[in-house]
Amino acid sequence: MRDISKKKVIVLATHGFEQSELEVPVHKLAEAGATVHVVSPEAGSIKGWDKTDWGSPVQVDVLLDDVNPEEYHAIVLPGGQINPDLLRVNDAAIALIRAMFDQDKVVAAICHAPWLLIEAGIVDGRDVTSYKSIRTDLINAGGNWIDAEVVVDNGVVTSRNPGDLDAFCEKIAEEIQEGKHDRDAA
């Protein structure tokens, strides 16, 4: 994994995040040197979903209302069905994702989390992937859906499912290391 020391990463989640899709990026990005903060609309802890049942709680580091996107280099959006569905109707969550995108920072979404990219209005004209059940949603939002492990389009990193977490995390670190992404072309 690339060295991303002195970089700060947001992992935005709420109850129902897919356990591995939050925990593995937090661990791997921190292992690569980044400071990683779990950001949520809820204080205290949020509970994950682990394949077929409720998983373990994860401590929230920063409340969504208190986060300053200018202090971070990337945002990671874990999937699962519940987490992104709850967050896509949260105006503050969508505003944070859009702010990170508008500041030319890395925006990464896995599994069902590209729903959040649709809500933030950043899919149109981009190459993306996702869990297969939201493929049509991404296409209808103007995305060029590609059946691939990980797809990168100018700092927007998408991955289709938890089996691809190592490649997903590596691409996030690579994009963070590259720095800001000029998105005028998309």
Side-chain angles (χ1 to χ4, degrees), residues 2-13:
R2 296 168 185 267
D3 180 13
I4 51 173
S5 298
K6 300 182 182 171
K7 303 298 182 181
K8 291 177 72 177
V9 177
I10 294 167
V11 177
L12 177 62

Side-chain angles (χ1 to χ4, degrees), residues 88 113-123 134 136-139 141:
R88 69 182 174 159
W115 269 336
L116 297 165
L117 305 181
I118 293 170
E119 286 302 318
I122 59 178
V123 169
I134 68 165
T136 302
D137 297 340
L138 288 161
I139 292 168

Side-chain angles (χ1 to χ4, degrees), residues 25-62:
V26 165
H27 173 75
K28 288 195 173 285
L29 296 173
E31 195 174 72
T35 299
V36 183
H37 291 149
V38 174
V39 173
S40 181
E42 292 83 24
S45 64
I46 52 176
K47 196 162 193 171
W49 186 262
D50 195 1
K51 297 176 187 78
T52 60
D53 203 353
W54 289 104
S56 303
V58 170
Q59 187 64 38
V60 172
D61 299 308
V62 181

Side-chain angles (χ1 to χ4, degrees), residues 68-129:
N68 179 356
E70 293 180 13
E71 296 176 4
Y72 294 88
H73 299 90
I75 186 167
V76 177
L77 308 169
Q81 292 174 316
I82 301 167
N83 173 61
D85 198 41
L86 292 173
L87 287 176
R88 69 182 174 159
V89 295
N90 182 310
D91 293 339
I94 299 308
L96 175 60
I97 296 163
R98 186 65 204 202
M100 295 293 288
F101 178 82
D102 288 344
Q103 292 173 26
D104 298 324
K105 297 179 179 178
V106 176
V107 177
I110 189 168
C111 192
H112 287 76
W115 269 336
L116 297 165
L117 305 181
I118 293 170
E119 286 302 318
I122 59 178
V123 169
D124 193 19
R126 296 206 173 281
D127 291 342
V128 292
T129 195

